[in-house]
Amino acid sequence: MSELQCEVSIPTAREMIAIGAGLLIDVRQAFELELEGHIPGAVHVPLFTFKNSLGKPLDQDEQEMLDAEEPDRKNAAMFVMDLNKLYFAKERPCFLCLCNSGRRSLYAAKLLSDLGYTHSYSVRGGWRDWRSPDHAAPEFLPAGILDAREGVAAA
């Protein structure tokens, strides 16, 4: 992974989604969503499926969890076409990746960035923090103003 790891805070991610500036991509596995819940409106693309579709090597554990064949160029092309549909058809310039704790989502954001989706970020703290009472969705989000302290942070 690159030295530059970009994250957004949960309040910033929520505001970006509310004003239409971000699309949430949940990279958790299907069983995690079944056990822990999902976020309405999020696009579910498990990280292992994501990596597999792009032809990235999976380790043995990932391959067993995914139980999939090796991808071919057509799979990768179709996956990128689907990403483009999400990116351009919905006019949402930022991809906001979320996993359980924030580690897999950093990797997913890096993969997206490497594909040219330069405004791809990981939601800091992941699902665990997203559902905590400290980060509950506010009743009202001010339109268009992102707090610089809570905004995009490069580590």
Side-chain angles (χ1 to χ4, degrees), residues 25-116:
I25 300 176
D26 193 331
V27 299
R28 294 177 294 156
Q29 290 298 104
F31 75 88
E32 291 176 287
L33 272 64
E34 290 172 18
L35 290 172
E36 300 172 355
H38 71 282
I39 299 170
V43 175
H44 181 231
V45 183
L47 180 61
F48 304 150
T49 302
F50 195 104
K51 286 174 64 176
N52 192 49
S53 297
L54 293 175
K56 301 289 183 186
L58 301 178
D59 65 30
Q60 185 64 33
D61 291 336
E62 292 172 333
Q63 189 67 34
E64 287 175 10
M65 284 184 91
L66 186 58
D67 193 27
E69 298 176 8
E70 289 295 315
D72 60 21
R73 286 180 183 236
K74 184 177 176 183
N75 290 349
M78 292 299 290
F79 185 69
V80 171
M81 283 177 45
D82 289 343
L83 283 175
N84 281 333
K85 285 179 191 174
L86 290 171
Y87 194 73
F88 294 109
K90 296 193 179 217
E91 297 181 28
R92 294 183 173 160
C94 295
F95 283 142
L96 304 169
C97 300
L98 178 127
C99 66
N100 207 31
S101 66
R103 286 193 339 228
R104 286 177 287 174
S105 57
L106 276 171
Y107 186 79
K110 170 73 170 97
L111 287 174
L112 286 167
S113 183
D114 288 349
L115 285 173

